[in-house]
Amino acid sequence: EAKVQGRGILRFSSPGMTTRAKERLSLEADLRLALDQGELSLHYQPQVDLISGQIVGLEALARWQHPTRGMVSPAAFIPLAEECGLIVNLGHWALQSACRQIRVWTDAGLAPRQIAVNVSAVQLSRGDLLESVRLALKESGISPDQLELEITESFVMADRDRSFKAIADLKALGVRLSIDDFGTGYSSLAYLQQLEVDKLKVDISFVRDMTRNSGNASIVKAVIALGHSLGLEIIAEGVEEAGQARYLRSLSCDVMQGYLISKPLPAEEMTCFLHAFAPQLVPVDNAGSFTL
Ligand code: C2E
Ligand code: MG
Ligand code: MG
Ligand code: MG
């Protein structure tokens, strides 16, 4: 059975298909159009230095404003895009848009040191990630060290030879690399010292209960100590409370990101935010506490 639906796409379904499978197929078809129709955008979330209180980076996070479903979470559409291969185009679009945007902020004198873009292992296995990054840098004219790529442990472990080579090639281009959601994946610590990454992002799940759960606090402390001993910068995600920020600072964590500072914002709102809070966002008093 094939029928033309609302958005002019031919969709195939068979009587045997579950509602869930049909729903997925329909979302996938919409996602194919979403890129061309400008329904995807990037929101930006600040990353703040725990000592100076300055915004040192912005993470670009994809958003999908669907015409009838409303805002679809990246937690739903990124895995879908990875499964159907669309992540290659979507990933290139994200790199290109983020690089263009930091160029705009650089020209306006508002840009923090760098912009971080999430990249998927599928961009490596089914696309040409290196070429995509090279193009985005060339087209925007930004300096390569203004771009940071957030990879996950699965990116590293999927095909080790290939990902080690890709990471070395990316580093040779001059971009910076961080490992996202660190500690939640499945990777060997032995690889960490061979990988040419610059930064570890402590996963939100460890940060969340850190001040109440001593197990999580121990994990956060261990990640910071491990990272620092390997010469890596540490950034904590999901910081929502001033107490968490103070605690992270006491542990010598370098940078924080989370709702405490700001939710991810559309580019225009982030421009206002950068204007309002530059150059110093979080005043830190002599006792080392945040006066938010
Ligand atoms: P992530 O890269 O680990 O991003 C952090 C997630 O935590 C984001 O969710 C962000 O909005 C959320 N977050 C930030 N601060 C807080 C906080 O204080 N509290 C809480 N509860 N959450 C916070 P988001 O935007 O829904 O993105 C989810 C995931 O989707 C990202 O996780 C990333 O893995 C993926 N993603 C988003 N955009 C892209 C993209 O352009 N490409 C790829 N490959 N993946 C993307
Ligand atoms: Mg990320
Ligand atoms: Mg993360
Ligand atoms: Mg994540």
Side-chain angles (χ1 to χ4, degrees):
E1 187 196 349
K3 70 180 184 184
V4 177
Q5 292 188 342
R7 305 185 72 202
I9 326 151
L10 210 52
R11 286 177 184 146
F12 296 88
S13 60
S14 64
M17 275 180 98
T18 60
T19 314
R20 207 191 154 88
K22 285 181 192 162
E23 164 69 16
R24 236 192 75 112
L25 206 59
S26 140
L27 197 64
E28 187 182 310
D30 286 354
L31 188 56
R32 284 184 195 280
L33 286 181
L35 259 178
D36 297 333
Q37 307 201 333
E39 292 166 14
L40 293 178
S41 65
L42 292 178
H43 282 196
Y44 297 90
Q45 187 177 39
Q47 301 176 328
V48 168
D49 185 288
L50 277 157
I51 292 177
S52 70
Q54 292 193 341
I55 302 178
V56 290
L58 294 169
E59 179 176 5
L61 294 153
R63 295 290 178 264
W64 179 13
Q65 186 64 51
H66 186 282
T68 57
R69 295 168 199 261
M71 194 65 102
V72 182
S73 163
F77 72 82
I78 296 289
L80 191 65
E82 287 176 330
E83 281 163 43
C84 68
L86 263 176
I87 193 72
V88 172
N89 288 340
L90 194 157
H92 182 67
W93 162 84
L95 279 165
Q96 192 181 42
S97 311
C99 289
R100 283 181 186 166
Q101 186 58 57
I102 196 161
R103 179 58 199 254
V104 170
W105 283 325
T106 302
D107 292 345
L110 290 170
R113 204 166 63 207
Q114 65 195 30
I115 198 136
V117 180
N118 293 283
V119 297
S120 156
V122 183
Q123 289 172 260
L124 191 63
S125 58
R126 291 174 69 175
D128 189 345
L129 179 61
L130 190 69
E131 191 51 27
S132 178
V133 170
R134 208 182 264 134
L135 269 171
L137 291 173
K138 190 175 166 207
E139 193 227 30
S140 61
I142 64 166
S143 161
D145 62 7
Q146 287 182 282
L147 177 64
E148 177 171 289
L149 303 178
E150 295 194 2
I151 61 179
T152 56
E153 291 168 83
S154 63
F155 181 104
V156 179
M157 301 308 280
D159 175 344
R160 268 169 241 164
D161 291 343
R162 192 165 181 171
S163 47
F164 269 76
K165 168 86 167 66
I167 285 166
D169 290 346
L170 289 165
K171 286 300 294 180
L173 275 185
V175 302
R176 295 170 62 84
L177 293 171
S178 63
I179 300 190
D180 205 351
D181 308 334
F182 187 73
T184 61
Y186 171 72
S187 68
S188 147
L189 290 180
Y191 288 114
L192 200 54
Q193 57 143 347
Q194 299 166 22
L195 280 174
E196 300 171 75
V197 296
D198 304 284
K199 216 180 262 188
L200 299 181
K201 295 194 80 173
V202 185
D203 191 65
I204 202 163
S205 59
F206 303 124
V207 174
R208 189 177 294 132
D209 291 327
M210 174 187 67
T211 51
R212 286 171 287 269
N213 174 328
S214 65
N216 278 352
S218 301
I219 291 172
V220 173
K221 279 184 216 168
V223 171
I224 293 170
L226 173 70
H228 279 168
S229 70
L230 292 169
L232 307 176
E233 194 172 289
I234 311 295
I235 168 164
E237 334 185 71
V239 177
E240 297 184 355
E241 300 159 15
Q244 293 170 331
R246 279 193 294 271
Y247 186 59
L248 286 164
R249 208 172 109 94
S250 77
L251 298 179
S252 301
C253 182
D254 305 290
V255 178
M256 69 167 162
Q257 178 181 348
Y259 297 166
L260 175 67
I261 306 299
S262 171
K263 290 184 310 187
L265 299 173
E268 319 78 66
E269 285 177 44
M270 184 47 69
T271 302
C272 298
F273 189 91
L274 292 170
H275 267 296
F277 292 96
Q280 174 119 351
L281 177 67
V282 184
V284 179
D285 64 27
N286 289 337
S289 60
F290 289 86
T291 49
L292 275 164

